[in-house]
PDB file of all heavy atoms in Angstrom:
ATOM      1  N   GLN A   1       0.889  -1.226  -0.021  1.00 78.00           N
ATOM      2  CA  GLN A   1      -0.055   0.039  -0.022  1.00 78.00           C
ATOM      3  C   GLN A   1       0.836   1.269   0.030  1.00 78.00           C
ATOM      4  O   GLN A   1       1.180   1.837   1.018  1.00 78.00           O
ATOM      5  CB  GLN A   1      -0.941  -0.047   1.253  1.00 78.00           C
ATOM      6  CG  GLN A   1      -1.951  -1.162   1.258  1.00 78.00           C
ATOM      7  CD  GLN A   1      -2.857  -1.152   0.155  1.00 78.00           C
ATOM      8  OE1 GLN A   1      -3.299  -0.096  -0.373  1.00 78.00           O
ATOM      9  NE2 GLN A   1      -3.369  -2.246  -0.330  1.00 78.00           N
ATOM     10  N   GLN A   2       1.241   1.692  -1.206  1.00 77.00           N
ATOM     11  CA  GLN A   2       2.141   2.835  -1.262  1.00 77.00           C
ATOM     12  C   GLN A   2       1.587   4.079  -0.791  1.00 77.00           C
ATOM     13  O   GLN A   2       2.295   5.018  -0.254  1.00 77.00           O
ATOM     14  CB  GLN A   2       2.505   3.026  -2.849  1.00 77.00           C
ATOM     15  CG  GLN A   2       3.246   1.885  -3.380  1.00 77.00           C
ATOM     16  CD  GLN A   2       4.563   1.550  -2.814  1.00 77.00           C
ATOM     17  OE1 GLN A   2       5.329   2.408  -2.555  1.00 77.00           O
ATOM     18  NE2 GLN A   2       4.756   0.218  -2.584  1.00 77.00           N
ATOM     19  N   ASP A   3       0.334   4.174  -0.686  1.00 81.00           N
ATOM     20  CA  ASP A   3      -0.438   5.418  -0.291  1.00 81.00           C
ATOM     21  C   ASP A   3      -0.325   5.492   1.241  1.00 81.00           C
ATOM     22  O   ASP A   3      -0.641   6.580   1.726  1.00 81.00           O
ATOM     23  CB  ASP A   3      -1.935   5.358  -0.611  1.00 81.00           C
ATOM     24  CG  ASP A   3      -2.149   5.666  -2.099  1.00 81.00           C
ATOM     25  OD1 ASP A   3      -1.212   6.082  -2.795  1.00 81.00           O
ATOM     26  OD2 ASP A   3      -3.212   5.393  -2.691  1.00 81.00           O
ATOM     27  N   ASN A   4       0.058   4.522   1.949  1.00 84.00           N
ATOM     28  CA  ASN A   4       0.259   4.502   3.369  1.00 84.00           C
ATOM     29  C   ASN A   4       1.597   4.932   3.775  1.00 84.00           C
ATOM     30  O   ASN A   4       1.934   4.868   5.061  1.00 84.00           O
ATOM     31  CB  ASN A   4      -0.226   3.256   4.073  1.00 84.00           C
ATOM     32  CG  ASN A   4      -1.651   3.025   3.980  1.00 84.00           C
ATOM     33  OD1 ASN A   4      -2.445   4.064   3.882  1.00 84.00           O
ATOM     34  ND2 ASN A   4      -2.138   1.804   4.134  1.00 84.00           N
ATOM     35  N   ARG A   5       2.556   5.243   2.948  1.00 84.00           N
ATOM     36  CA  ARG A   5       3.854   5.469   3.279  1.00 84.00           C
ATOM     37  C   ARG A   5       3.945   6.962   3.857  1.00 84.00           C
ATOM     38  O   ARG A   5       3.022   7.724   3.693  1.00 84.00           O
ATOM     39  CB  ARG A   5       4.870   5.353   2.125  1.00 84.00           C
ATOM     40  CG  ARG A   5       5.006   3.926   1.700  1.00 84.00           C
ATOM     41  CD  ARG A   5       6.185   3.675   0.836  1.00 84.00           C
ATOM     42  NE  ARG A   5       6.551   2.320   0.661  1.00 84.00           N
ATOM     43  CZ  ARG A   5       7.549   1.758  -0.051  1.00 84.00           C
ATOM     44  NH1 ARG A   5       8.295   2.599  -0.548  1.00 84.00           N
ATOM     45  NH2 ARG A   5       7.827   0.539   0.030  1.00 84.00           N
ATOM     46  N   THR A   6       5.055   7.240   4.471  1.00 88.00           N
ATOM     47  CA  THR A   6       5.321   8.554   5.154  1.00 88.00           C
ATOM     48  C   THR A   6       6.289   9.423   4.347  1.00 88.00           C
ATOM     49  O   THR A   6       6.944   8.964   3.419  1.00 88.00           O
ATOM     50  CB  THR A   6       5.765   8.383   6.613  1.00 88.00           C
ATOM     51  OG1 THR A   6       6.944   7.561   6.595  1.00 88.00           O
ATOM     52  CG2 THR A   6       4.699   7.675   7.356  1.00 88.00           C
ATOM     53  N   LEU A   7       6.482  10.551   4.899  1.00 88.00           N
ATOM     54  CA  LEU A   7       7.443  11.588   4.165  1.00 88.00           C
ATOM     55  C   LEU A   7       8.844  11.051   4.014  1.00 88.00           C
ATOM     56  O   LEU A   7       9.477  11.277   2.937  1.00 88.00           O
ATOM     57  CB  LEU A   7       7.326  12.895   4.816  1.00 88.00           C
ATOM     58  CG  LEU A   7       6.221  13.789   4.479  1.00 88.00           C
ATOM     59  CD1 LEU A   7       6.175  15.040   5.236  1.00 88.00           C
ATOM     60  CD2 LEU A   7       6.170  14.159   3.000  1.00 88.00           C
ATOM     61  N   PRO A   8       9.521  10.376   5.038  1.00 87.00           N
ATOM     62  CA  PRO A   8      10.867   9.985   4.806  1.00 87.00           C
ATOM     63  C   PRO A   8      11.035   9.047   3.625  1.00 87.00           C
ATOM     64  O   PRO A   8      11.971   9.051   2.920  1.00 87.00           O
ATOM     65  CB  PRO A   8      11.146   9.338   6.113  1.00 87.00           C
ATOM     66  CG  PRO A   8      10.365   9.954   7.177  1.00 87.00           C
ATOM     67  CD  PRO A   8       9.074  10.250   6.421  1.00 87.00           C
ATOM     68  N   VAL A   9       9.964   8.208   3.467  1.00 86.00           N
ATOM     69  CA  VAL A   9      10.119   7.247   2.282  1.00 86.00           C
ATOM     70  C   VAL A   9       9.835   7.977   1.024  1.00 86.00           C
ATOM     71  O   VAL A   9      10.501   7.810  -0.005  1.00 86.00           O
ATOM     72  CB  VAL A   9       8.982   6.151   2.443  1.00 86.00           C
ATOM     73  CG1 VAL A   9       9.139   5.141   1.260  1.00 86.00           C
ATOM     74  CG2 VAL A   9       9.265   5.447   3.773  1.00 86.00           C
ATOM     75  N   TRP A  10       9.006   9.025   1.100  1.00 84.00           N
ATOM     76  CA  TRP A  10       8.665   9.824  -0.122  1.00 84.00           C
ATOM     77  C   TRP A  10       9.868  10.535  -0.577  1.00 84.00           C
ATOM     78  O   TRP A  10      10.080  10.741  -1.775  1.00 84.00           O
ATOM     79  CB  TRP A  10       7.507  10.811   0.218  1.00 84.00           C
ATOM     80  CG  TRP A  10       7.273  11.866  -0.832  1.00 84.00           C
ATOM     81  CD1 TRP A  10       6.600  11.784  -1.985  1.00 84.00           C
ATOM     82  CD2 TRP A  10       7.647  13.260  -0.678  1.00 84.00           C
ATOM     83  NE1 TRP A  10       6.551  13.000  -2.583  1.00 84.00           N
ATOM     84  CE2 TRP A  10       7.192  13.938  -1.737  1.00 84.00           C
ATOM     85  CE3 TRP A  10       8.249  13.962   0.283  1.00 84.00           C
ATOM     86  CZ2 TRP A  10       7.425  15.247  -1.996  1.00 84.00           C
ATOM     87  CZ3 TRP A  10       8.511  15.370   0.158  1.00 84.00           C
ATOM     88  CH2 TRP A  10       8.060  15.894  -0.958  1.00 84.00           C
ATOM     89  N   LEU A  11      10.743  10.864   0.342  1.00 82.00           N
ATOM     90  CA  LEU A  11      11.964  11.704  -0.031  1.00 82.00           C
ATOM     91  C   LEU A  11      12.882  10.818  -1.060  1.00 82.00           C
ATOM     92  O   LEU A  11      13.721  11.438  -1.693  1.00 82.00           O
ATOM     93  CB  LEU A  11      12.836  12.079   1.172  1.00 82.00           C
ATOM     94  CG  LEU A  11      12.275  13.217   1.986  1.00 82.00           C
ATOM     95  CD1 LEU A  11      13.063  13.418   3.257  1.00 82.00           C
ATOM     96  CD2 LEU A  11      12.219  14.517   1.062  1.00 82.00           C
ATOM     97  N   SER A  12      12.786   9.509  -0.959  1.00 75.00           N
ATOM     98  CA  SER A  12      13.595   8.738  -1.803  1.00 75.00           C
ATOM     99  C   SER A  12      13.055   8.555  -3.185  1.00 75.00           C
ATOM    100  O   SER A  12      13.696   7.794  -4.040  1.00 75.00           O
ATOM    101  CB  SER A  12      13.786   7.355  -1.151  1.00 75.00           C
ATOM    102  OG  SER A  12      12.615   6.670  -1.095  1.00 75.00           O
ATOM    103  N   SER A  13      11.994   9.215  -3.597  1.00 71.00           N
ATOM    104  CA  SER A  13      11.295   8.988  -4.722  1.00 71.00           C
ATOM    105  C   SER A  13      11.724   9.968  -5.796  1.00 71.00           C
ATOM    106  O   SER A  13      11.246   9.900  -7.015  1.00 71.00           O
ATOM    107  CB  SER A  13       9.801   9.123  -4.619  1.00 71.00           C
ATOM    108  OG  SER A  13       9.463  10.390  -4.173  1.00 71.00           O
ATOM    109  N   PHE A  14      12.636  10.981  -5.508  1.00 71.00           N
ATOM    110  CA  PHE A  14      13.040  11.963  -6.487  1.00 71.00           C
ATOM    111  C   PHE A  14      14.096  11.439  -7.392  1.00 71.00           C
ATOM    112  O   PHE A  14      15.313  11.594  -7.141  1.00 71.00           O
ATOM    113  CB  PHE A  14      13.351  13.300  -5.849  1.00 71.00           C
ATOM    114  CG  PHE A  14      12.283  13.943  -5.164  1.00 71.00           C
ATOM    115  CD1 PHE A  14      12.000  13.810  -3.914  1.00 71.00           C
ATOM    116  CD2 PHE A  14      11.489  14.768  -5.946  1.00 71.00           C
ATOM    117  CE1 PHE A  14      10.961  14.522  -3.372  1.00 71.00           C
ATOM    118  CE2 PHE A  14      10.439  15.537  -5.467  1.00 71.00           C
ATOM    119  CZ  PHE A  14      10.143  15.324  -4.082  1.00 71.00           C
ATOM    120  N   GLN A  15      13.704  10.828  -8.534  1.00 66.00           N
ATOM    121  CA  GLN A  15      14.555  10.322  -9.506  1.00 66.00           C
ATOM    122  C   GLN A  15      14.275  10.813 -10.862  1.00 66.00           C
ATOM    123  O   GLN A  15      13.115  11.135 -11.118  1.00 66.00           O
ATOM    124  CB  GLN A  15      14.597   8.712  -9.538  1.00 66.00           C
ATOM    125  CG  GLN A  15      14.808   8.092  -8.220  1.00 66.00           C
ATOM    126  CD  GLN A  15      16.246   8.082  -7.837  1.00 66.00           C
ATOM    127  OE1 GLN A  15      17.089   8.009  -8.751  1.00 66.00           O
ATOM    128  NE2 GLN A  15      16.471   8.009  -6.573  1.00 66.00           N
ATOM    129  N   ASN A  16      15.311  10.986 -11.760  1.00 58.00           N
ATOM    130  CA  ASN A  16      15.005  11.407 -12.974  1.00 58.00           C
ATOM    131  C   ASN A  16      15.954  10.493 -13.943  1.00 58.00           C
ATOM    132  O   ASN A  16      16.485   9.522 -13.530  1.00 58.00           O
ATOM    133  CB  ASN A  16      15.459  12.902 -13.288  1.00 58.00           C
ATOM    134  CG  ASN A  16      16.817  13.177 -12.858  1.00 58.00           C
ATOM    135  OD1 ASN A  16      17.699  12.382 -12.856  1.00 58.00           O
ATOM    136  ND2 ASN A  16      17.090  14.478 -12.459  1.00 58.00           N
ATOM    137  N   THR A  17      16.038  10.818 -15.254  1.00 52.00           N
ATOM    138  CA  THR A  17      16.738   9.970 -16.161  1.00 52.00           C
ATOM    139  C   THR A  17      18.202   9.960 -15.969  1.00 52.00           C
ATOM    140  O   THR A  17      18.948   8.967 -16.298  1.00 52.00           O
ATOM    141  CB  THR A  17      16.510  10.424 -17.656  1.00 52.00           C
ATOM    142  OG1 THR A  17      16.838  11.728 -17.757  1.00 52.00           O
ATOM    143  CG2 THR A  17      15.015  10.305 -17.937  1.00 52.00           C
ATOM    144  N   PHE A  18      18.678  10.842 -15.108  1.00 58.00           N
ATOM    145  CA  PHE A  18      20.177  10.916 -14.805  1.00 58.00           C
ATOM    146  C   PHE A  18      20.430  10.427 -13.469  1.00 58.00           C
ATOM    147  O   PHE A  18      21.682  10.462 -12.928  1.00 58.00           O
ATOM    148  CB  PHE A  18      20.651  12.364 -15.019  1.00 58.00           C
ATOM    149  CG  PHE A  18      20.488  12.890 -16.413  1.00 58.00           C
ATOM    150  CD1 PHE A  18      19.411  13.759 -16.508  1.00 58.00           C
ATOM    151  CD2 PHE A  18      21.200  12.495 -17.406  1.00 58.00           C
ATOM    152  CE1 PHE A  18      19.147  14.257 -17.853  1.00 58.00           C
ATOM    153  CE2 PHE A  18      21.118  13.079 -18.717  1.00 58.00           C
ATOM    154  CZ  PHE A  18      20.009  13.990 -19.020  1.00 58.00           C
ATOM    155  N   GLY A  19      19.498   9.865 -12.766  1.00 65.00           N
ATOM    156  CA  GLY A  19      19.583   9.382 -11.311  1.00 65.00           C
ATOM    157  C   GLY A  19      18.901  10.198 -10.324  1.00 65.00           C
ATOM    158  O   GLY A  19      17.717  10.640 -10.644  1.00 65.00           O
ATOM    159  N   THR A  20      19.501  10.547  -9.207  1.00 72.00           N
ATOM    160  CA  THR A  20      18.850  11.298  -8.197  1.00 72.00           C
ATOM    161  C   THR A  20      18.673  12.767  -8.473  1.00 72.00           C
ATOM    162  O   THR A  20      19.669  13.402  -9.024  1.00 72.00           O
ATOM    163  CB  THR A  20      19.615  11.249  -6.897  1.00 72.00           C
ATOM    164  OG1 THR A  20      19.664   9.748  -6.469  1.00 72.00           O
ATOM    165  CG2 THR A  20      18.854  12.001  -5.708  1.00 72.00           C
ATOM    166  N   ASP A  21      17.496  13.319  -8.377  1.00 76.00           N
ATOM    167  CA  ASP A  21      17.219  14.691  -8.588  1.00 76.00           C
ATOM    168  C   ASP A  21      17.566  15.481  -7.344  1.00 76.00           C
ATOM    169  O   ASP A  21      16.763  15.641  -6.472  1.00 76.00           O
ATOM    170  CB  ASP A  21      15.773  14.865  -9.001  1.00 76.00           C
ATOM    171  CG  ASP A  21      15.457  16.373  -9.500  1.00 76.00           C
ATOM    172  OD1 ASP A  21      16.297  17.163  -9.195  1.00 76.00           O
ATOM    173  OD2 ASP A  21      14.380  16.566  -9.934  1.00 76.00           O
ATOM    174  N   TRP A  22      18.868  15.875  -7.265  1.00 80.00           N
ATOM    175  CA  TRP A  22      19.368  16.503  -6.090  1.00 80.00           C
ATOM    176  C   TRP A  22      18.636  17.765  -5.785  1.00 80.00           C
ATOM    177  O   TRP A  22      18.430  18.082  -4.597  1.00 80.00           O
ATOM    178  CB  TRP A  22      20.838  16.743  -6.175  1.00 80.00           C
ATOM    179  CG  TRP A  22      21.728  15.341  -6.214  1.00 80.00           C
ATOM    180  CD1 TRP A  22      22.346  14.849  -7.310  1.00 80.00           C
ATOM    181  CD2 TRP A  22      21.774  14.525  -5.203  1.00 80.00           C
ATOM    182  NE1 TRP A  22      22.855  13.663  -6.839  1.00 80.00           N
ATOM    183  CE2 TRP A  22      22.631  13.379  -5.587  1.00 80.00           C
ATOM    184  CE3 TRP A  22      21.345  14.426  -3.729  1.00 80.00           C
ATOM    185  CZ2 TRP A  22      22.936  12.325  -4.840  1.00 80.00           C
ATOM    186  CZ3 TRP A  22      21.570  13.370  -2.962  1.00 80.00           C
ATOM    187  CH2 TRP A  22      22.418  12.332  -3.576  1.00 80.00           C
ATOM    188  N   ALA A  23      18.294  18.561  -6.809  1.00 82.00           N
ATOM    189  CA  ALA A  23      17.642  19.809  -6.427  1.00 82.00           C
ATOM    190  C   ALA A  23      16.260  19.617  -5.797  1.00 82.00           C
ATOM    191  O   ALA A  23      16.031  20.231  -4.740  1.00 82.00           O
ATOM    192  CB  ALA A  23      17.536  20.661  -7.857  1.00 82.00           C
ATOM    193  N   ALA A  24      15.482  18.790  -6.281  1.00 83.00           N
ATOM    194  CA  ALA A  24      14.225  18.521  -5.818  1.00 83.00           C
ATOM    195  C   ALA A  24      14.317  17.768  -4.472  1.00 83.00           C
ATOM    196  O   ALA A  24      13.542  18.051  -3.532  1.00 83.00           O
ATOM    197  CB  ALA A  24      13.339  17.645  -6.716  1.00 83.00           C
ATOM    198  N   THR A  25      15.393  16.886  -4.314  1.00 85.00           N
ATOM    199  CA  THR A  25      15.561  16.150  -3.065  1.00 85.00           C
ATOM    200  C   THR A  25      15.933  17.139  -1.838  1.00 85.00           C
ATOM    201  O   THR A  25      15.356  17.132  -0.849  1.00 85.00           O
ATOM    202  CB  THR A  25      16.671  15.162  -3.156  1.00 85.00           C
ATOM    203  OG1 THR A  25      16.270  14.237  -4.178  1.00 85.00           O
ATOM    204  CG2 THR A  25      16.841  14.463  -1.858  1.00 85.00           C
ATOM    205  N   MET A  26      16.751  18.052  -2.209  1.00 88.00           N
ATOM    206  CA  MET A  26      17.178  19.147  -1.178  1.00 88.00           C
ATOM    207  C   MET A  26      16.041  20.072  -0.811  1.00 88.00           C
ATOM    208  O   MET A  26      15.806  20.388   0.364  1.00 88.00           O
ATOM    209  CB  MET A  26      18.367  19.887  -1.760  1.00 88.00           C
ATOM    210  CG  MET A  26      19.627  19.183  -1.904  1.00 88.00           C
ATOM    211  SD  MET A  26      20.366  18.503  -0.331  1.00 88.00           S
ATOM    212  CE  MET A  26      19.836  16.692  -0.572  1.00 88.00           C
ATOM    213  N   ALA A  27      15.218  20.470  -1.796  1.00 89.00           N
ATOM    214  CA  ALA A  27      14.084  21.227  -1.526  1.00 89.00           C
ATOM    215  C   ALA A  27      13.025  20.518  -0.743  1.00 89.00           C
ATOM    216  O   ALA A  27      12.464  20.989   0.307  1.00 89.00           O
ATOM    217  CB  ALA A  27      13.463  21.675  -2.818  1.00 89.00           C
ATOM    218  N   ALA A  28      12.768  19.276  -1.080  1.00 88.00           N
ATOM    219  CA  ALA A  28      11.818  18.474  -0.352  1.00 88.00           C
ATOM    220  C   ALA A  28      12.335  18.100   1.108  1.00 88.00           C
ATOM    221  O   ALA A  28      11.617  18.165   2.084  1.00 88.00           O
ATOM    222  CB  ALA A  28      11.606  17.066  -0.989  1.00 88.00           C
ATOM    223  N   SER A  29      13.744  18.008   1.288  1.00 88.00           N
ATOM    224  CA  SER A  29      14.296  17.775   2.543  1.00 88.00           C
ATOM    225  C   SER A  29      14.148  19.001   3.528  1.00 88.00           C
ATOM    226  O   SER A  29      13.866  18.904   4.623  1.00 88.00           O
ATOM    227  CB  SER A  29      15.823  17.340   2.445  1.00 88.00           C
ATOM    228  OG  SER A  29      15.914  16.177   1.774  1.00 88.00           O
ATOM    229  N   THR A  30      14.259  20.171   2.832  1.00 90.00           N
ATOM    230  CA  THR A  30      14.083  21.449   3.623  1.00 90.00           C
ATOM    231  C   THR A  30      12.685  21.623   4.055  1.00 90.00           C
ATOM    232  O   THR A  30      12.409  21.931   5.217  1.00 90.00           O
ATOM    233  CB  THR A  30      14.455  22.641   2.673  1.00 90.00           C
ATOM    234  OG1 THR A  30      15.801  22.490   2.242  1.00 90.00           O
ATOM    235  CG2 THR A  30      14.289  23.903   3.424  1.00 90.00           C
ATOM    236  N   LEU A  31      11.658  21.292   3.232  1.00 89.00           N
ATOM    237  CA  LEU A  31      10.363  21.236   3.638  1.00 89.00           C
ATOM    238  C   LEU A  31       9.971  20.322   4.735  1.00 89.00           C
ATOM    239  O   LEU A  31       9.252  20.557   5.615  1.00 89.00           O
ATOM    240  CB  LEU A  31       9.388  21.021   2.380  1.00 89.00           C
ATOM    241  CG  LEU A  31       9.393  22.049   1.275  1.00 89.00           C
ATOM    242  CD1 LEU A  31       8.587  21.654   0.041  1.00 89.00           C
ATOM    243  CD2 LEU A  31       8.830  23.397   1.828  1.00 89.00           C
ATOM    244  N   PHE A  32      10.681  19.106   4.577  1.00 88.00           N
ATOM    245  CA  PHE A  32      10.459  18.024   5.549  1.00 88.00           C
ATOM    246  C   PHE A  32      10.939  18.440   6.949  1.00 88.00           C
ATOM    247  O   PHE A  32      10.365  18.064   7.983  1.00 88.00           O
ATOM    248  CB  PHE A  32      11.174  16.802   5.051  1.00 88.00           C
ATOM    249  CG  PHE A  32      11.073  15.710   6.010  1.00 88.00           C
ATOM    250  CD1 PHE A  32       9.969  14.901   6.258  1.00 88.00           C
ATOM    251  CD2 PHE A  32      12.315  15.337   6.840  1.00 88.00           C
ATOM    252  CE1 PHE A  32      10.010  13.887   7.223  1.00 88.00           C
ATOM    253  CE2 PHE A  32      12.250  14.257   7.680  1.00 88.00           C
ATOM    254  CZ  PHE A  32      11.088  13.642   7.887  1.00 88.00           C
ATOM    255  N   ALA A  33      12.098  19.303   6.990  1.00 88.00           N
ATOM    256  CA  ALA A  33      12.683  19.659   8.232  1.00 88.00           C
ATOM    257  C   ALA A  33      11.950  20.762   8.930  1.00 88.00           C
ATOM    258  O   ALA A  33      12.099  21.022  10.089  1.00 88.00           O
ATOM    259  CB  ALA A  33      14.127  20.016   8.102  1.00 88.00           C
TER     260      ALA A  33
END
């Protein structure tokens, strides 16, 4: 049930064709903190 996951797991979902989307990951991490 992916809809029952929490924000820390959601943070690992920022991927693009080149690998990790660091820009979106850092922005999401800032919002998370």
Side-chain angles (χ1 to χ4, degrees):
Q1 298 295 330
Q2 302 295 317
D3 289 345
N4 286 339
R5 291 195 166 185
T6 55
L7 279 177
V9 181
W10 169 76
L11 285 175
S12 63
S13 64
F14 287 95
Q15 302 286 329
N16 54 31
T17 55
F18 303 101
T20 302
D21 187 349
W22 292 111
T25 300
M26 294 298 104
S29 299
T30 301
L31 293 174
F32 174 76

